[in-house]
Amino acid sequence: MCFDFGLKRIGVAVGEIELGSVHPLATIAEVVTERRFAAIAALIEEWRPVLLVVGVPTNPDGGEHELAETCRRFARRLE
């Protein structure tokens, strides 16, 4: 299961490791942190993924985007 973290929305997708394909699953637009994680927990319970992946954005020059650390914090919270 893959997450595209944003301050307003979190995109969620599921992938097939063997096929190398990813398909959009949901967009979580909750602003309250507890509700965001409750929605994520429900998706994880339903889909039972073997791996969680969080995208970390970079700038066009390859440097860290201002949201990179926030995305890492989100990933740590998923653990």
Side-chain angles (χ1 to χ4, degrees), residues 4-32:
D4 182 11
F5 178 83
L7 297 176
K8 294 183 181 181
R9 290 178 293 283
I10 300 171
V12 184
V14 291
E16 294 289 331
I17 293 172
E18 294 83 18
L19 300 175
S21 64
V22 179
H23 304 283
L25 179 62
T27 300
I28 299 171
E30 291 289 343
V31 293
V32 177

Side-chain angles (χ1 to χ4, degrees), residues 31-56:
V31 293
V32 177
T33 301
E34 292 79 22
R35 289 184 193 163
R36 280 182 161 193
F37 280 94
I40 291 167
L43 289 172
I44 290 172
E45 178 70 25
E46 178 182 352
W47 287 86
R48 303 265 185 208
V50 296
L51 181 67
L52 302 179
V53 176
V54 177
V56 177

Side-chain angles (χ1 to χ4, degrees), residues 37 53-54 56 70-79:
F37 280 94
V53 176
V54 177
V56 177
T70 305
C71 292
R72 286 190 193 94
R73 190 175 23 208
F74 171 73
R76 285 191 296 272
R77 182 123 187 234
L78 285 177
E79 287 182 296

